[in-house]
Amino acid sequence: MGLDALGIAGSGLTLHRKWLDAVADNIANANTATATTGAAFQARYIVAQEGEGVSGAYVSGTALGDAEGLLVHEPDNPIADADGYVRRPDIDMAEQMGELIMAQRGYQANAAVIDRAKTSYEAALQIGRN
Amino acid sequence: MTIPAIGSAPAVSATSYLPASTGSTAADSSDSGFATALTGAVDNLQQLQSTSNSYAIQAVTGDLDDIHTATIAASRAQVTLELVAAVRNKGVEAFNDIMRMQA
């Protein structure tokens, strides 16, 4: 299909949107404590894959972080076990903030590509006018 | 003194710049290629615009995951419309130029 820069940049936008979603979920659950009998909240990471030929980038799946989490001593927590421990997710907030910025910048870069491509196509239509 | 008679002019031969005419080869009897191409382009454009419209409806009703699919489809339809309009204008312009020709 013609005008393919639009489609390729669109696939990049979708990928970075999903990355943003994953980071948002991780940050939202960064403080979600669970009982020690179950698994901790697992951070979600998307797996990116290049498209066939020149067709952009796609999400081929997601990977989950550590289910073990961190055992934290919180005797006042209603879901704490007999020894006073709960599981907290092993999510590094600084790392997630870094990923958030990367996802945002990547999204913006792909949006810029679409803008430039459209401007270029419109410039091509001006060739030979007057 | 005697003046020699003017001889007949030598025959005109084709130059390398303008090859000799070998009769009309233009005016294919088949359907006009331009009309077919333009119709195809308009059909394609209509398809893009209806895609863009359905994405716009999805965006308004909240059924759209990615905002950018709607805006990209709209951009694609817009650029294609401009291209088809440019081609059509050139065609009409050429037709008018020919109609204005006088012997």
Side-chain angles (χ1 to χ4, degrees), chain B residues 4-77:
Chain B
I6 300 170
S8 63
V12 177
S13 61
T15 70
S16 58
Y17 303 108
L18 295 169
S21 171
T22 56
S24 170
T25 55
D28 233 4
S29 61
S30 68
D31 253 5
S32 162
F34 180 70
T36 320
L38 193 62
T39 314
V42 169
D43 285 346
N44 185 30
L45 171 65
Q46 217 150 30
Q47 181 84 43
L48 288 173
Q49 284 181 333
S50 80
T51 309
S52 170
N53 275 341
S54 65
Y55 277 136
I57 290 168
Q58 284 181 32
V60 174
T61 54
D63 295 333
L64 196 64
D65 280 341
D66 287 315
I67 306 149
H68 60 257
T69 50
T71 49
I72 288 173
S75 295
R76 207 189 275 275

Side-chain angles (χ1 to χ4, degrees), chain A residues 6-18 107 110-111 114, chain B residues 55 59 64-76:
Chain A
L6 292 181
I8 292 171
S11 77
L13 281 176
T14 305
L15 180 125
H16 286 89
R17 197 267 300 163
K18 288 178 176 172
Y107 194 93
N110 281 286
I114 289 177
Chain B
Y55 277 136
L64 196 64
D65 280 341
D66 287 315
I67 306 149
H68 60 257
T69 50
T71 49
I72 288 173
S75 295
R76 207 189 275 275

